[in-house]
């Protein structure tokens, strides 16, 4: 298969273009998973990668992430308080079709709280409370799914900002008050 002539590798960057480092050898035709997903690391909600925020901001930075064809990438984070607005931006390097979900449950059968189809929409999710309905505090999941055989590099950014919280001036929501 030609890989026996390849020197041993420790990471994808040590392999020629269109090859990936798999089990210490460069293999052709294999998707180059990113640092979170090498070898099936974050392919489902139960193994979602916890993101480290700094001042309510996460940015994957210049070290781009990679979505492989027919593969899921899962990331998780917690909101520090109820009523936070959640802004998720996925900037793809090339045109590719993906679904991006914001979930509050890692179960695929549970409905997503927000969904974007990059074929028809900008890859940005803005999720926040509305009057009388604050965003619950808790664990959220970003779930990125390739449409068919699309693959691509992307940058993930998440911002948490204070949004609508409880209305301190009104302790209840009855018509009398």
């Amino acid at each position: 298969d030609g890989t026996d002539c390849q020197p041993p590798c420790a990471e994808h960057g040590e392999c020629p273009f269109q090859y990936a480092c798999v089990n210490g050898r460069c293999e052709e035709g294999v998707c180059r998973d990113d640092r979170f997903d090498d070898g099936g690391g974050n392919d489902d909600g139960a193994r979602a990668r916890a993101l480290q925020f700094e001042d309510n901001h996460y940015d994957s930075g210049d070290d781009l992430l990679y979505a492989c064809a027919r593969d899921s990438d899962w990331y998780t984070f917690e909101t520090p308080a109820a009523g936070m607005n959640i802004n998720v931006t996925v900037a793809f390097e090339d045109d590719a079709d993906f679904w991006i979900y914001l979930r509050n449950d890692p179960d695929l059968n549970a409905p997503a709280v927000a969904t974007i189809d990059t074929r028809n929409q900008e890859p940005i999710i803005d999720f926040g409370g509305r009057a009388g309905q604050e965003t619950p505090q808790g664990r959220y999941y970003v779930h990125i799914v390739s449409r068919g055989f699309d693959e691509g590099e992307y940058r993930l950014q998440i911002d948490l900002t204070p949004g609508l919280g409880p209305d301190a001036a009104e302790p209840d929501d009855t018509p009398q008050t």
Side-chain angles (χ1 to χ4, degrees):
D1 65 9
T3 59
D4 294 334
C5 299
Q6 298 284 341
C9 61
E11 59 185 38
H12 299 312
E14 296 175 3
C15 296
F17 181 69
Q18 296 187 337
Y19 282 74
C21 185
V22 178
N23 297 324
R25 290 281 180 206
C26 296
E27 291 190 22
E28 187 174 20
V30 178
C31 182
R32 288 185 175 207
D33 277 337
D34 58 56
R35 65 188 181 276
F36 289 142
D37 199 19
D38 202 8
N42 67 337
D43 289 340
D44 57 49
R47 294 183 297 172
R49 290 296 175 153
L51 301 176
Q52 301 300 314
F53 280 68
E54 186 173 312
D55 297 324
N56 290 332
H57 175 76
Y58 172 80
D59 186 345
S60 63
D62 294 332
D63 190 9
L64 298 175
L65 302 170
Y66 200 89
C68 293
R70 298 185 304 173
D71 187 27
S72 291
D73 287 349
W74 286 78
Y75 306 95
T76 186
F77 61 92
E78 287 196 36
T79 55
M84 299 296 287
N85 290 322
I86 302 170
N87 177 277
V88 178
T89 302
V90 182
F92 290 96
E93 290 293 298
D94 299 310
D95 287 337
D97 291 334
F98 288 85
W99 286 294
I100 304 167
Y101 301 95
L102 180 64
R103 302 177 176 278
N104 58 4
D105 190 320
D107 183 354
L108 279 175
N109 296 317
V113 298
T115 304
I116 294 292
D117 178 348
T118 64
R119 184 175 46 178
N120 304 316
Q121 299 167 292
E122 290 294 318
I124 298 171
I125 292 177
D126 278 314
F127 179 70
R130 293 167 182 76
Q133 180 185 4
E134 70 179 31
T135 306
Q137 178 181 8
R139 180 164 297 282
Y140 287 84
Y141 299 83
V142 175
H143 178 203
I144 300 172
V145 182
S146 168
R147 294 180 60 91
F149 292 99
D150 278 5
E151 296 183 346
E153 290 182 304
Y154 64 93
R155 181 176 184 171
L156 176 62
Q157 294 175 298
I158 303 173
D159 288 295
L160 306 175
T161 57
L164 295 175
D167 186 351
E170 185 178 345
D172 56 36
D173 290 325
T174 65
Q176 294 79 19
T177 56

